[in-house]
Amino acid sequence: MRKKTLSTALFALCSLAMFAQGAKNIKINEVMTSNTASIEDEYGAHLPWIELANVSFSTINVRGMYVATDKAVLNPDLTVPERVAMMSIIPNNEPRTNMSGRQHLILYLNSSPTCGSLHLASTIDASAPIWIGLYEGNAVDLVDSVTIPVVLNPNTSYARHTDGSAEWETKAPDAVTAGIENFIQVTESKVSQIKRDDPHGFGITILSMGIVFSCLALLWIFFTIFGIVMRRKNEEKNSLAKAAHKKRIMAVHDEEDEDERSFPGIVVKHHDEEDPDVYIAVISMAIKEYLDDSHDVESGIITIMPKENTKWTRT
């Protein structure tokens, strides 16, 4: 029993730690204190509202968290029940409070939970600067807060420049982005977007240089591989040519040896590399004359020497 209780306590502590870490990704993203012609609630009424944004890509449920508009809750001497009494709780029975990644949630102020699950009793005074805080479910840890330093005109909002950013700005009625991403500029051209995202041109310079050097590197790799392949092909071709040349020479030598064995005393001299058929014809003619005794009586040696305008001559 004691082990089970310890395991349950550890699980609860881990869950609270994970929730606390995820809750930091919930931001007060936009506020409208004077709503006369902006968004309407489910009854068609125009109420002040705040927008929460989940700036992460994970789903976070904000049910049980608290919204405060009275700065007195920052007093560390307050007990938890005293602080809870000064705040409005986000209801548990609303599926829209389970915020997926990059999702937004509108909560209405100066209202009553009886009017709807997203209606809070926290009040604001549109004629004075306003502080709004978002607390975790323990009513002790402050998740996010914002102070609106100026009195907003009707239907204008005080919003972060982009979702979750540290920069705030006042938005005109036609630029209010309730329930959607704060930075929306549909008429912005690509050139204007590049100027906004990269005002000094460092990004486009690095990108351009990266593309150029990447192309040069690819060309170098291609021609290096191409050169290696062509070099190997030439080496193979030269090797085959040398082998064929060596084979021809060996064949001629073999023929000379065969002639020497068949006809002792007959010496055949080759003076250049011609067609073997020519050699055979000349040798055959010389042997025939030798056998027919038509050759001069000499030492028994037939000599074939090259002569101008002919390939061979007999002496």
Side-chain angles (χ1 to χ4, degrees):
M1 183 67 179
R2 183 176 300 174
K3 290 182 178 180
K4 184 176 181 181
T5 304
L6 181 60
S7 300
T8 304
L10 288 175
F11 177 77
L13 288 175
C14 292
S15 301
L16 288 174
M18 293 177 62
F19 177 79
Q21 185 177 5
K24 294 297 182 181
N25 293 314
I26 302 297
K27 301 294 183 182
I28 300 174
N29 208 46
E30 190 169 3
V31 180
M32 179 176 289
T33 59
S34 178
N35 179 13
T36 60
S38 183
I39 61 173
E40 300 177 349
D41 66 0
E42 54 268 42
Y43 303 104
H46 294 90
L47 297 171
W49 51 266
I50 63 171
E51 177 194 71
L52 302 182
N54 179 4
V55 298
S56 70
F57 293 94
S58 303
T59 299
I60 301 173
N61 201 324
V62 297
R63 67 176 185 269
M65 298 178 70
Y66 293 91
V67 174
T69 56
D70 188 350
K71 207 169 184 180
V73 296
L74 296 175
N75 185 353
D77 296 330
L78 291 177
T79 63
V80 172
E82 290 175 337
R83 188 176 289 110
V84 168
M86 302 170 65
M87 298 187 294
S88 296
I89 189 171
I90 299 176
N92 293 326
N93 56 349
E94 172 54 55
R96 286 173 290 181
T97 60
N98 193 32
M99 300 175 63
S100 59
R102 316 303 293 183
Q103 187 179 352
H104 303 78
L105 178 68
I106 299 295
L107 299 174
Y108 297 100
L109 306 179
N110 289 1
S111 186
S112 172
T114 58
C115 297
S117 56
L118 299 181
H119 289 249
L120 305 179
S122 298
T123 60
I124 57 174
D125 183 2
S127 62
I130 298 169
W131 175 87
I132 300 175
L134 178 66
Y135 277 83
E136 290 187 10
N138 58 12
V140 175
D141 297 322
L142 182 64
V143 176
D144 192 26
S145 65
V146 60
T147 298
I148 304 174
V150 296
V151 176
L152 298 177
N153 293 326
N155 304 313
T156 61
S157 68
Y158 191 65
R160 297 180 186 270
H161 181 66
T162 58
D163 286 0
S165 68
E167 300 176 0
W168 289 77
E169 61 186 2
T170 302
K171 289 194 171 187
D174 58 349
V176 172
T177 54
I180 58 176
E181 184 181 356
N182 280 4
F183 190 88
I184 300 293
Q185 193 169 350
V186 295
T187 59
E188 184 180 28
S189 64
K190 291 185 178 180
V191 175
S192 299
Q193 184 179 4
I194 292 174
K195 288 181 178 180
R196 171 175 57 81
D197 295 337
D198 187 20
H200 302 290
F202 295 136
I204 192 67
T205 301
I206 295 173
L207 178 62
S208 301
M209 293 179 65
I211 293 174
V212 171
F213 282 111
S214 298
C215 293
L216 291 175
L218 289 175
L219 288 174
W220 179 82
I221 294 172
F222 171 77
F223 283 109
T224 299
I225 296 175
F226 181 76
I228 293 173
V229 172
M230 295 304 297
R231 192 181 307 114
R232 289 183 178 178
K233 285 187 176 181
N234 289 334
E235 290 175 355
E236 292 176 359
K237 184 177 180 181
N238 293 335
S239 299
L240 292 174
K242 290 180 180 178
H245 179 69
K246 185 176 180 180
K247 186 176 181 180
R248 287 197 298 269
I249 294 175
M250 293 179 64
V252 171
H253 290 171
D254 292 341
E255 290 177 0
E256 290 179 353
D257 295 340
E258 183 67 25
D259 293 339
E260 180 65 23
R261 289 193 298 269
S262 301
F263 305 99
I266 299 178
V267 178
V268 180
K269 297 182 180 179
H270 295 274
H271 294 275
D272 55 7
E273 294 183 5
E274 297 291 345
D275 189 351
D277 293 339
V278 176
Y279 299 153
I280 294 172
V282 173
I283 294 171
S284 299
M285 182 179 65
I287 292 173
K288 185 177 187 307
E289 290 182 356
Y290 176 78
L291 295 176
D292 293 342
D293 294 329
S294 59
H295 196 275
D296 295 339
V297 177
E298 293 182 358
S299 62
I301 297 175
I302 300 175
T303 303
I304 303 174
M305 299 292 291
K307 186 177 181 181
E308 185 178 358
N309 297 328
T310 63
K311 288 290 182 182
W312 303 93
T313 183
R314 178 170 60 85
T315 59

